[in-house]
Amino acid sequence: SNPAFTFRREIQEEGTMTSSSSSIDDLIIPLKVPDEDMGYDSASYAHPPEYNGHLKSVMISNRQIKKRVKDLARIIHRDYNGRRIVMICVLKGASTFYHDLLSALMELNQGFDMEFLRCKSYEGAETTGQIKISGGLDFEHLKNKHVMVVEDILDTGTTLSQLLPVLKEKGQPRSVQCCTLLQKRRSVVAKIGCKYTGFSIPDHFIVGYGLDYNELYRDLKDIWVISNEGIRFDASTLHP
């Protein structure tokens, strides 16, 4: 059978992309968007009118995202039941995913604390590979705690591979894990993996659900493949 067709059919018929098995252990496996999958017809999905022509197709619908986020929350709650987690949001991209994930954890009565940070790589030959953390993260708050870093997408893994050692060294947490909504399948293996991953996706340029291009498209509720016109668009031409 065609895996792309199966991927879409499971949503249309069942309202879910999870396998037929009800075992929570199966939910740890990322849901795979096949390489040949062409996505949904964009005409069926709404977006702000200023984005007309900027978007090629919907890769993952909001309905699929919300269902998968609930699956991730179930797995996390199973693994941490009885233990509080310090949930760290990597701004800005992960903010939408973070909000929905925490809402799902609330429904399960899973205790957690909230922290936020921004990561920026230093520029210049002598400081390549180093990151600067900002956003008011209190490292003392992490000491002897169970910490989970929440990311929007795992691409090369560069940011996380640099961030996690910093958190361990400065925060001295009891444990550190990461949760990402998306992981790109690339010819070069990512430098680090996440235990909790929502979707495994083809290597396309995507936006929406918090992910941006030049600070645009975060306000899309679905995850879209951006068009060449969207990439070329001059954001400064948008009036307030």
Side-chain angles (χ1 to χ4, degrees), residues 2 4 11 23 32 37 40 64 78 81 86 97 110 125 138 140 147 153 163 188 190 194 205 215 218 220 227 238-239:
N2 186 317
I11 281 295
S23 171
K32 182 178 180 180
D37 184 39
Y40 295 103
Q64 292 171 300
R78 192 253 337 243
N81 192 14
V86 179
F97 172 45
Q110 171 64 53
D138 182 2
E140 283 296 318
V147 170
I153 185 167
L163 173 60
V188 178
C194 280
F205 200 150
E215 291 300 324
R218 296 190 195 276
L220 296 167
S227 69
L238 284 179
H239 54 78

Side-chain angles (χ1 to χ4, degrees), residues 7-71:
F7 178 87
R8 299 301 172 193
R9 184 183 61 194
E10 287 176 352
I11 281 295
Q12 293 166 356
E13 295 182 357
E14 306 293 337
T16 177
M17 291 170 58
T18 55
S19 66
S20 57
S21 172
S22 60
S23 171
I24 194 170
D25 291 321
D26 294 332
L27 301 181
I28 196 70
I29 303 171
L31 296 181
K32 182 178 180 180
V33 179
D35 292 332
E36 63 271 32
D37 184 39
M38 300 305 294
Y40 295 103
D41 179 11
S42 60
S44 303
Y45 292 84
H47 56 72
E50 58 265 34
Y51 296 157
N52 286 340
H54 296 195
L55 305 166
K56 192 173 181 181
S57 62
V58 172
M59 178 180 283
I60 309 174
S61 71
N62 186 263
R63 181 181 179 184
Q64 292 171 300
I65 297 168
K66 292 294 183 68
K67 176 62 174 67
R68 183 58 180 156
V69 169
K70 289 181 179 179
D71 288 344

Side-chain angles (χ1 to χ4, degrees), residues 193-232:
C194 280
K195 180 176 181 179
Y196 305 99
T197 300
F199 300 91
S200 169
I201 65 171
D203 189 9
H204 296 316
F205 200 150
I206 56 170
V207 293
Y209 195 71
L211 286 85
D212 78 301
Y213 181 70
N214 287 341
E215 291 300 324
L216 293 179
Y217 314 114
R218 296 190 195 276
D219 49 347
L220 296 167
K221 69 177 184 178
D222 308 292
I223 293 176
W224 295 72
V225 178
I226 192 171
S227 69
N228 289 331
E229 182 179 344
I231 293 173
R232 292 192 302 264

Side-chain angles (χ1 to χ4, degrees), residues 10 33 37 40 43 53 60 63 75 100 114 120 125 131 136 142-143 147 152 156 190 232 235:
E10 287 176 352
V33 179
D37 184 39
Y40 295 103
I60 309 174
R63 181 181 179 184
I75 305 165
D100 286 344
M114 300 168 65
K120 184 177 181 179
I131 59 170
L142 308 184
K143 192 168 184 178
V147 170
D152 52 355
T156 62
R232 292 192 302 264

